[in-house]
Amino acid sequence: PNPTDGVVQVITSGILRGKLTLSDASGQEVGRFHRTAVNQKIDISHLPNGIYFAVMQTAENRFVQKIVLNK
Protein backbone atom coordinates (compact mmCIF):
# COMPACT_ATOMS: atom_id res chain seq x y z
CA PRO A 1 0.00 0.00 0.00
CA ASN A 2 1.00 3.60 -0.56
CA PRO A 3 0.35 5.75 2.52
CA THR A 4 -0.48 9.40 1.90
CA ASP A 5 -1.65 12.42 3.85
CA GLY A 6 -3.76 13.74 0.99
CA VAL A 7 -1.89 14.11 -2.31
CA VAL A 8 -1.30 11.10 -4.55
CA GLN A 9 1.26 11.33 -7.33
CA VAL A 10 0.64 9.08 -10.32
CA ILE A 11 3.79 8.46 -12.37
CA THR A 12 4.03 6.27 -15.45
CA SER A 13 6.90 5.38 -17.76
CA GLY A 14 5.10 6.93 -20.72
CA ILE A 15 2.00 8.87 -21.60
CA LEU A 16 -1.06 6.79 -20.92
CA ARG A 17 -4.38 8.05 -22.11
CA GLY A 18 -7.14 6.62 -20.05
CA LYS A 19 -9.47 6.90 -17.13
CA LEU A 20 -8.30 6.91 -13.52
CA THR A 21 -10.95 6.09 -10.94
CA LEU A 22 -10.67 6.07 -7.18
CA SER A 23 -12.82 3.68 -5.14
CA ASP A 24 -13.17 3.15 -1.42
CA ALA A 25 -12.73 -0.23 0.29
CA SER A 26 -16.40 -1.12 -0.31
CA GLY A 27 -15.96 -0.60 -4.07
CA GLN A 28 -17.89 2.70 -4.29
CA GLU A 29 -16.36 5.16 -6.74
CA VAL A 30 -15.26 8.36 -4.98
CA GLY A 31 -13.42 10.10 -7.81
CA ARG A 32 -12.87 10.03 -11.56
CA PHE A 33 -10.02 11.66 -13.48
CA HIS A 34 -8.94 11.73 -17.11
CA ARG A 35 -5.26 10.95 -17.38
CA THR A 36 -3.02 12.07 -20.23
CA ALA A 37 0.22 13.15 -18.50
CA VAL A 38 3.21 11.10 -17.38
CA ASN A 39 3.20 12.75 -13.94
CA GLN A 40 -0.07 13.81 -12.34
CA LYS A 41 -0.95 14.81 -8.76
CA ILE A 42 -4.40 14.08 -7.36
CA ASP A 43 -5.63 15.73 -4.17
CA ILE A 44 -7.71 13.33 -2.06
CA SER A 45 -7.37 15.23 1.22
CA HIS A 46 -11.13 15.91 1.24
CA LEU A 47 -11.83 12.18 1.67
CA PRO A 48 -11.98 10.48 5.09
CA ASN A 49 -9.06 8.35 6.27
CA GLY A 50 -9.19 4.83 4.91
CA ILE A 51 -8.16 2.43 2.20
CA TYR A 52 -8.75 3.34 -1.44
CA PHE A 53 -7.99 1.75 -4.78
CA ALA A 54 -6.76 3.73 -7.78
CA VAL A 55 -7.66 2.01 -11.03
CA MET A 56 -6.07 3.14 -14.29
CA GLN A 57 -7.94 1.84 -17.33
CA THR A 58 -6.43 2.22 -20.79
CA ALA A 59 -7.48 0.68 -24.09
CA GLU A 60 -4.97 -2.14 -23.53
CA ASN A 61 -4.50 -2.58 -19.77
CA ARG A 62 -5.92 -2.13 -16.30
CA PHE A 63 -3.69 -1.23 -13.33
CA VAL A 64 -4.78 -1.21 -9.68
CA GLN A 65 -2.91 0.41 -6.78
CA LYS A 66 -3.93 0.35 -3.13
CA ILE A 67 -3.73 3.71 -1.30
CA VAL A 68 -3.92 4.27 2.46
CA LEU A 69 -5.10 7.78 3.39
CA ASN A 70 -3.99 8.80 6.87
CA LYS A 71 -4.19 12.54 7.54
Side-chain angles (χ1 to χ4, degrees):
N2 290 319
T4 182
D5 61 359
V7 176
V8 176
Q9 188 167 359
V10 181
I11 300 171
T12 61
S13 59
I15 295 175
L16 293 177
R17 296 188 187 279
K19 179 177 68 171
L20 178 68
T21 57
L22 190 65
S23 301
D24 63 17
S26 69
Q28 175 140 357
E29 186 177 296
V30 296
R32 183 179 295 207
F33 312 90
H34 292 286
R35 177 149 169 74
T36 58
V38 174
N39 186 346
Q40 180 177 1
K41 290 183 181 180
I42 299 170
D43 184 0
I44 61 170
S45 62
H46 63 282
L47 297 172
N49 287 346
I51 296 173
Y52 296 90
F53 295 93
V55 179
M56 178 66 192
Q57 182 72 47
T58 68
E60 300 84 25
N61 294 305
R62 182 174 188 257
F63 305 95
V64 179
Q65 181 67 51
K66 183 177 178 180
I67 298 169
V68 177
L69 178 59
N70 188 14
K71 301 179 270 187

